[in-house]
Amino acid sequence: MSATGIGAPVRRKEDQRFITGKGQYTDDINRPGQAYAVFVRSPHAHAEIKGIDASAARKSPGCLAVYTGADTAKDKVGNLICGWMIHSKDGTPMKAGVHPVLAQGKVRYVGDHVAVVIAETLAQARDAAEAVQVTYNVLPAAMDAASTQSAGQPQIHAEAPNNTVYQWHLGDKAAVDAAFAAATHVTKIDLINNRLIPNAIEPRAAIGDYDQGQESFTLYTTSQNPHVTRLVLSAFIGLAPEHKLRVIAPDVGGGFGSKIFIYAMRTAATT
């Protein structure tokens, strides 16, 4: 086996700056006039948003702004997108519900973003976020993935009847059915899998910087694909033309950084 073959040791070259404290993580980036964002999140899996009172939060020390879904809708901030179009086995396109940056009228999972607070420090942003009062009308939630398509289950997205975005299959169904029919013995088992998501070591961090002279934006975000991030922010979120948007991935990446940081920067630049 050659020295470059499978199983050969590969010396790391990037560790020197990390073990000497010279790594460049998002927490090491501090821009002039930098502010901090904290989200107000839903404690309910499914609920209507009846009202949001941010008056006390806006009066909190260091609070610069509080934004809700009504603000992002007014500014025509685009929805978060699904990066892959899937067609059902009958050929129809998937029926994915909208996913606004901040919830509009309804929350659909625990932790759904209801509002975002911008403040001079992280502690002040957290304090102000706790002062935001949200009134909910709690709705029944679909808890068991195995039964969400059954009649009478709560509908999470009106665009997806029976809570079904698409029905997809792969392979030769007739051949599989024939194999089971001819089998001497068939064993059935129900498997329950936890919902999983891969998280970066530095999860979902993002810093937005607006250059008023150049009318351009820079986004520092934990991403392994900054080019796609820039495309989505430009073409779908509607932040700015691609040539006015630069995306930089610090040393550790893995998540698609939150767009709301850039939204706050854009709002500040246009007011």
Side-chain angles (χ1 to χ4, degrees):
M1 180 181 294
S2 68
T4 58
I6 295 174
V10 178
R11 286 188 174 275
R12 292 170 56 91
K13 299 180 179 180
E14 64 271 30
D15 292 336
Q16 180 66 23
R17 67 179 187 274
F18 295 139
I19 63 177
T20 57
K22 297 178 181 179
Q24 186 71 0
Y25 300 92
T26 46
D27 196 46
D28 298 314
I29 301 170
N30 290 282
R31 306 301 301 154
Q34 179 172 299
Y36 296 80
V38 169
F39 291 98
V40 178
R41 299 176 180 271
S42 168
H44 306 293
H46 193 204
E48 295 176 345
I49 301 174
K50 306 302 292 184
I52 301 175
D53 184 359
S55 55
R58 291 189 174 97
K59 297 176 183 177
S60 297
C63 181
L64 302 175
V66 180
Y67 299 113
T68 67
D71 297 312
T72 55
K74 181 180 178 181
D75 281 357
K76 299 180 180 180
V77 177
N79 295 314
L80 307 180
I81 68 165
C82 177
W84 196 267
M85 168 58 75
I86 302 294
H87 286 74
S88 291
K89 56 187 178 183
D90 63 1
T92 59
M94 65 183 187
K95 301 177 179 65
V98 295
H99 190 176
V101 175
L102 294 174
Q104 297 173 11
K106 190 178 183 182
V107 293
R108 294 179 171 87
Y109 57 90
V110 173
D112 203 350
H113 308 71
V114 178
V116 63
V117 174
I118 312 297
E120 294 177 358
T121 69
L122 180 58
Q124 289 173 334
R126 287 173 173 166
D127 289 343
E130 291 182 358
V132 176
Q133 299 295 318
V134 184
T135 304
Y136 296 98
N137 176 31
V138 180
L139 301 172
M143 302 298 293
D144 180 16
S147 62
T148 52
Q149 294 178 312
S150 303
Q153 287 292 308
Q155 297 298 294
I156 307 304
H157 291 273
E159 302 89 341
N162 297 322
N163 296 313
T164 303
V165 177
Y166 60 85
Q167 290 183 328
W168 183 65
H169 66 180
L170 182 67
D172 188 335
K173 184 178 184 302
V176 172
D177 290 342
F180 274 107
T184 303
H185 179 76
V186 176
T187 299
K188 297 181 179 181
I189 184 172
D190 291 330
L191 299 175
I192 299 177
N193 290 319
N194 296 323
R195 294 184 179 184
L196 303 175
I197 182 170
N199 282 310
I201 296 174
E202 188 179 4
R204 309 296 181 187
I207 298 175
D209 190 10
Y210 177 71
D211 187 325
Q212 190 170 12
Q214 298 292 328
E215 296 184 340
S216 62
F217 300 86
T218 299
L219 172 65
Y220 302 88
T221 182
T222 52
S223 174
Q224 294 178 354
N225 201 333
H227 301 290
V228 171
T229 300
R230 183 178 67 172
L231 171 65
V232 171
L233 287 172
S234 175
F236 298 96
I237 306 300
L239 173 65
E242 276 197 74
H243 71 283
K244 291 290 187 179
L245 177 60
R246 181 175 62 154
V247 178
I248 298 175
D251 280 326
V252 176
F256 182 26
S258 178
K259 276 64 65 182
I260 201 68
F261 287 81
I262 284 290
Y263 168 67
M265 296 298 293
R266 182 179 71 173
T267 304
T270 56
T271 55

